[in-house]
């Protein structure tokens, strides 16, 4: 069972519910029943947490909010994961308040799979935190490796630490110190890597602080969108070019399939004692389906337990 | 006159010298004369500063290094700018040691024009520093705006501050404080912007710390290269697709012209009392030509003076 928060989606709650149907998983939908007629498993929860509210305060002040109810469903064991298109801050706050931090974890992180052909790479933290401390970065490395093994069956995941140069002394003090600790540790550590290495297909996990990770992720999304837009403009500039567009259709379709961000929708909040999946707010039905499937897979594979085991081995 | 450092280029010193010829500017070339036969204006300077050396120490210890001689040529007024394919750290150290920081400037920054169709955006800092302080970010905003006005004639440049959300409270403490200062200041300030806004064509300048800027820039370069590679793979997958490739030729050519990183080669170190241009080490002749032209234009327009004027107006 997956708990769905149907509030906070740009295209409305029915889109989220439709994604739940398509995922082929039993779901409980927390959202405004009035807008969700015809769907099974709806719990009326019209109250939403908005982007303008302070996340921690809103989660405490609104126990009936759909997101909070979804988090409680996971806490009480009624659901194996909760999936929300709401704000990252609120999802994190709901996770911290109701599911709690995993024992020994300094900070949870948002982990996103970046679509690199042949070898998707897990980037974390993509925005759960804005500050950076060496011990957080080290834990992100462990959690990322455990995630890739637990969910994607990658043994000894290759882990890179994002910096401004490959030499171990390059980067902020936090990065230099995290490099030193990871270098001496048991992980399959690739050392410092640079922004361009994210796409090079040599890594399974890239670790960075939440500020840098968020900027890098959104920069990638922005650039990919811009290039697609530029391609469209060029192809429609004059009728002769329609031939090129038509003849290129199979190519563009393959590329699109490979890079379709909808396939990769569903960021995981790792480091919590329960599964929280954040979907893009602008997601369509297919995207929601994929985010829900991420939650289902993590629940089946018991990802929090796997991460806890690797971390306790580290702490031991 | 532009001073060229011919050491440090992946394709050797002749490539740099050839770029100088093509730029149609009088140049002095500091490099190994034995490898530069046939070029005019060569000063024999076979000593190079390598990537493995500590930049500041190397600049002091090797007064005869080609890069140091090029910096001194600017200091002594024999050249209006120096252009180098060597390491960013060494170029910065040579600039700081011989040209000095501009009065009142906390830290110089590496400024790079990012190719957004219709409205290139100046991103700074792309790696002169790894730390972040609010007053540095504020100065980067002023220097970036002065640069865009001085070099590209953009009046009241629109300046964004890179963060993890548009709300003024989003981001690290340094970003939140810089936002507060810039919001109350005289610049045309767009507030916080996100990674995706870099490509949206709404901004002239995007300000960030050198760590984040470096990661964002290299992430963009990496993604663009990966997409071009993927396009090639798809177009050559089977002979039928060659038709698409041929018919798409004008489109791909336009795109390539618009996004060709060679056109944008030449990062400026702003905040020094002299002009230092850092070229990609992997640059080809055309790229070097463009980097040299950037140096020439900045020299003609007196960019350091323009930046100094705007900063002293700020300090007044």
């Amino acid at each position: 069972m997956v708990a769905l928060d149907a509030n906070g989606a740009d295209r409305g709650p029915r889109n989220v519910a439709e994604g739940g149907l398509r995922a082929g998983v039993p779901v409980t939908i927390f959202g405004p029943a009035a807008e969700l007629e015809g769907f099974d498993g709806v719990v009326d929860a019209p109250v939403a947490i908005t982007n303008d509210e302070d996340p921690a305060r809103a989660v405490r002040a609104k126990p009936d909010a759909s997101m909070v109810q979804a988090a409680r469903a996971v806490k009480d064991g009624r659901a194996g994961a909760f999936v929300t298109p709401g704000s990252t801050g609120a999802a994190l706050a709901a996770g911290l308040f109701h599911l709690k931090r995993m024992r020994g974890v300094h900070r949870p992180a948002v982990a996103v799979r970046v679509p690199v052909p042949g070898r998707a790479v897990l980037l974390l933290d993509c925005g759960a935190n804005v500050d950076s401390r060496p011990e957080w970065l080290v834990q992100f490395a462990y959690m990322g490796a455990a995630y890739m093994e637990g969910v994607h069956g990658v043994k000894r995941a290759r882990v890179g630490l994002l910096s401004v140069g490959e030499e171990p002394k390059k980067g902020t003090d936090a990065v230099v110190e995290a490099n030193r600790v990871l270098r001496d540790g048991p992980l399959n550590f690739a050392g410092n890597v640079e922004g361009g290495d994210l796409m090079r297909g040599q890594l399974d996990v890239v670790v960075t602080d939440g500020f840098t990770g968020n900027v890098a992720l959104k920069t990638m999304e922005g650039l990919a969108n811009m290039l697609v837009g530029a391609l469209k403009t060029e192809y429609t500039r004059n009728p002769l070019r329609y031939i090129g567009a038509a003849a290129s259709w199979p190519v563009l379709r393959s590329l699109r399939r490979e890079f379709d961000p909808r396939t990769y929708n569903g960021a995981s909040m790792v480091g919590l004692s329960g599964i929280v999946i954040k979907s893009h707010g602008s997601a369509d039905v297919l995207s929601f389906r994929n985010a829900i499937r991420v939650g289902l897979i993590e629940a089946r594979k018991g990802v929090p337990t796997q991460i806890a085991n690797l971390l306790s081995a580290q702490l031991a």
Side-chain angles (χ1 to χ4, degrees), chain A:
Chain A
M1 177 73 74
V2 172
L4 279 189
D5 170 17
N7 280 317
D10 297 356
R11 305 177 194 203
R14 294 189 73 83
N15 238 295
V16 183
E18 189 68 40
L21 260 186
R22 300 265 189 98
V25 192
V27 294
T28 305
I29 304 167
F30 297 90
E35 298 177 50
L36 288 165
E37 268 175 39
F39 288 99
D40 289 337
V42 173
V43 173
D44 190 28
V47 177
I49 294 177
T50 65
N51 255 319
D52 312 323
E53 298 175 271
D54 177 78
R57 218 171 297 162
V59 163
R60 281 190 185 84
K62 293 177 162 178
D64 290 339
S66 54
M67 197 193 278
V68 176
Q69 292 200 49
R72 276 209 312 266
V74 175
K75 182 193 178 188
D76 300 344
R78 285 174 283 138
F82 98 76
V83 180
T84 175
S87 92
T88 303
L92 188 65
L96 282 167
F97 196 63
H98 290 289
L99 307 178
K100 309 291 179 196
R101 213 175 288 183
M102 205 175 271
R103 201 171 144 251
V105 164
H106 302 295
R107 293 291 179 116
V110 173
V112 173
R113 273 184 91 211
V114 177
V116 177
R119 189 168 181 175
V121 63
L122 190 78
L123 178 67
L124 78 170
D125 175 17
C126 289
N129 309 282
V130 292
D131 298 317
S132 176
R133 299 212 187 136
E135 62 272 25
W136 302 357
L137 295 171
V138 169
Q139 277 199 341
F140 297 165
Y142 279 83
M143 295 199 290
Y147 185 94
M148 288 306 285
E149 175 155 2
V151 177
H152 299 286
V154 179
K155 301 259 177 220
R156 292 196 50 70
R158 188 106 180 116
V159 181
L161 178 63
L162 200 54
S163 190
V164 296
E166 289 177 8
E167 302 84 349
K169 65 176 197 295
K170 288 277 178 81
T172 57
D173 291 346
V175 168
V176 171
E177 171 62 11
N179 182 304
R180 193 191 59 76
V181 174
L182 288 168
R183 212 161 59 225
D184 295 340
L187 291 180
N188 181 7
F189 182 53
N192 282 356
V193 299
E194 299 188 79
D197 296 319
L198 269 167
M199 333 288 159
R200 220 154 266 152
Q202 311 287 319
L203 300 163
D204 301 302
V205 176
V206 170
V207 167
T208 189
D209 66 273
F211 188 88
T212 309
N214 187 277
V215 167
L217 183 70
K218 287 183 177 160
T219 298
M220 284 188 275
E221 289 174 354
L223 180 60
N225 285 336
M226 201 239 332
L227 287 174
V228 169
L231 215 56
K232 272 190 197 154
T233 306
E234 290 298 334
Y235 271 127
T236 52
R237 196 163 283 210
N238 68 56
L240 257 180
R241 291 195 170 173
Y242 296 166
I243 302 167
S248 297
W249 173 237
V251 169
L252 299 178
R253 198 180 42 190
S254 320
L255 266 190
R256 197 188 153 160
R257 202 176 296 143
E258 201 132 31
F259 292 101
D260 192 344
R262 296 183 300 176
T263 315
Y264 292 85
N265 188 35
S268 308
M269 310 239 165
V270 299
L272 296 171
S273 302
I275 298 164
V276 182
I277 308 293
K278 156 81 177 114
S279 160
H280 268 293
S282 61
D284 61 8
V285 169
L286 180 64
S287 305
F288 281 118
R289 186 198 70 176
N290 290 326
I292 293 161
R293 284 191 178 166
V294 172
L296 180 73
I297 293 168
E298 292 191 16
R300 280 198 187 139
K301 307 221 167 181
V303 168
T305 310
Q306 299 213 29
I307 292 179
N309 288 344
L310 193 70
L311 283 183
S312 61
Q314 176 207 10
L315 295 169

